[in-house]
Structure formats: C-alpha cells, structure tokens
Amino acid sequence: ELAEIEHCAERLQAVQRAAVVHIPGDSARLVGFATASEPGGSVQGLQDALRLHVEKYLPDYMIPQTWIVLDALPLTANSKVDTKKLRQLATSSQSRRQDSQAAENNSEVALILRLVAQVLGVPADALSATQNLAEQGLSSLFAVRLVNLLAAAWNTRLSYTLVFNYPSAVQLAAYRSGRVAMR
C-alpha cells in the first residue's frame, strides 16, 4: 500500500519523487517524503498541496499524517530509497516538533534546558526536552550540579535523585508544577 500512496503523490505535477514510511509503535503513523519538481518553491505550499491531493484520491487510513519536503531522497548504495534513513528523519522531525512545542508552551522547560546546557557546556537548542537527559550526556556528577542549580532557581531543597526519577526536561517541569506524583 505504501507504493500506492507514493504513486498517488507523484501524480501531483509539483512532485518529482515521493516515498512513504510506516512508523510503528504506540503512535503508529505514516510519514510521506517528497522532492519538488521545481526547486525554490514554498515547502509549506507543497506540503498542503500533497495533503489535499492525496486526501482526494485515497482512503483516510492511507493518508500520511505528515509530509516532509526534502531536496533529495536518501538512497542506499544500490540506489534504492533508504527507508531506514527516512524513518530516522521522520522520528527526529516529530521529536523536534514536540520539543519546540514543549519549550514554547512551558518556560520551566526552557529554564531546565538552559541549566542542563550550562552544566554540559552545550547550546540549549542542541538538547531535547523529551529525551532522557542521561542519554544526552548528563552523568551522575553533572546531575548533582544540575540539581544544585535547580534548587537555587526554584528556591527549594531538592533530592539528588530528582533527575533520575524525572529524567527529561518535560518530566522535571511537570514535577515542578506538581502535575506528577512524588516517587
């Protein structure tokens, strides 16, 4: 069925090539990728045109949740579309979107990310709000420094296990606002 979706998208004149991947898991979804036949056009315009075009010809369950416009589709060594790379692009695109929404909607998340960035010596925009901080380089020594900075910023005493109980910036912000139960 993925090939059918791709062929439908490629019938749109503005699309040079299309590929669709299925992202499995709890939030299983289809993500479409396309390259424009005319470079320099509006990415948002092409995404909207693709969505409308595919909705017109395919049933709901075959419509990708998201369309991502690329300059070129990634290819394997034998010139086939690299679906593994597309899945990685799709999941990183989704997490970046969730991260930016989380940071925009919550100044506490932004504060936590700034403090983590300070402790790690990296730019705050290089960090994910939803990914485990340990996976982003926060060792136990850095975690102690982060807890001390958070305690000063929040003007309260905090347990050094806090970062391990609430391992992402979003979870720490939820803890701070009292939206999660103490562990």
Side-chain angles (χ1 to χ4, degrees):
E1 291 178 9
L2 298 179
E4 187 177 343
I5 302 166
E6 294 166 357
H7 292 306
C8 180
E10 289 171 350
R11 287 195 302 260
L12 185 64
Q13 189 173 2
V15 174
Q16 180 181 20
R17 191 156 182 205
V20 177
V21 293
H22 175 260
I23 307 299
D26 293 338
S27 60
R29 65 191 187 285
L30 295 175
V31 177
F33 295 86
T35 59
S37 54
E38 296 292 322
S42 163
V43 169
Q44 184 64 47
L46 182 56
Q47 290 170 330
D48 292 341
L50 271 163
R51 186 178 43 74
L52 292 171
H53 177 77
V54 171
E55 284 176 354
K56 189 184 327 182
Y57 295 105
L58 297 174
D60 290 343
Y61 72 92
M62 291 178 73
I63 297 171
Q65 181 182 17
T66 308
W67 283 99
I68 299 172
V69 177
L70 302 173
D71 292 333
L73 294 178
L75 301 176
T76 62
N78 49 357
S79 299
K80 293 184 180 186
V81 174
D82 190 341
T83 55
K84 183 177 179 181
K85 178 94 57 176
L86 290 179
R87 279 191 193 89
Q88 289 173 340
L89 285 171
T91 54
S92 69
S93 170
Q94 175 72 17
S95 70
R96 275 195 309 273
R97 199 165 32 254
Q98 288 172 343
D99 285 350
S100 66
Q101 288 172 347
E104 286 171 13
N105 295 337
N106 190 333
S107 61
E108 204 65 55
V109 171
L111 168 72
I112 293 165
L113 288 176
R114 278 196 309 275
L115 294 176
V116 172
Q118 178 184 334
V119 167
L120 295 177
V122 300
D125 61 359
L127 298 170
S128 167
T130 55
Q131 186 180 359
N132 186 313
L133 295 172
E135 293 171 1
Q136 299 180 76
L138 193 74
S139 66
S140 56
L141 179 63
F142 287 143
V144 169
R145 289 177 57 197
L146 175 63
V147 169
N148 288 336
L149 289 172
L150 288 171
W154 293 343
N155 196 27
T156 187
R157 287 195 59 211
L158 297 172
S159 167
Y160 289 111
T161 62
L162 180 71
V163 176
F164 302 103
N165 292 333
Y166 305 97
S168 74
V170 168
Q171 290 171 323
L172 283 168
Y175 163 81
R176 168 71 171 145
S177 66
R179 287 181 287 166
V180 294
M182 277 296 285
R183 293 183 185 186

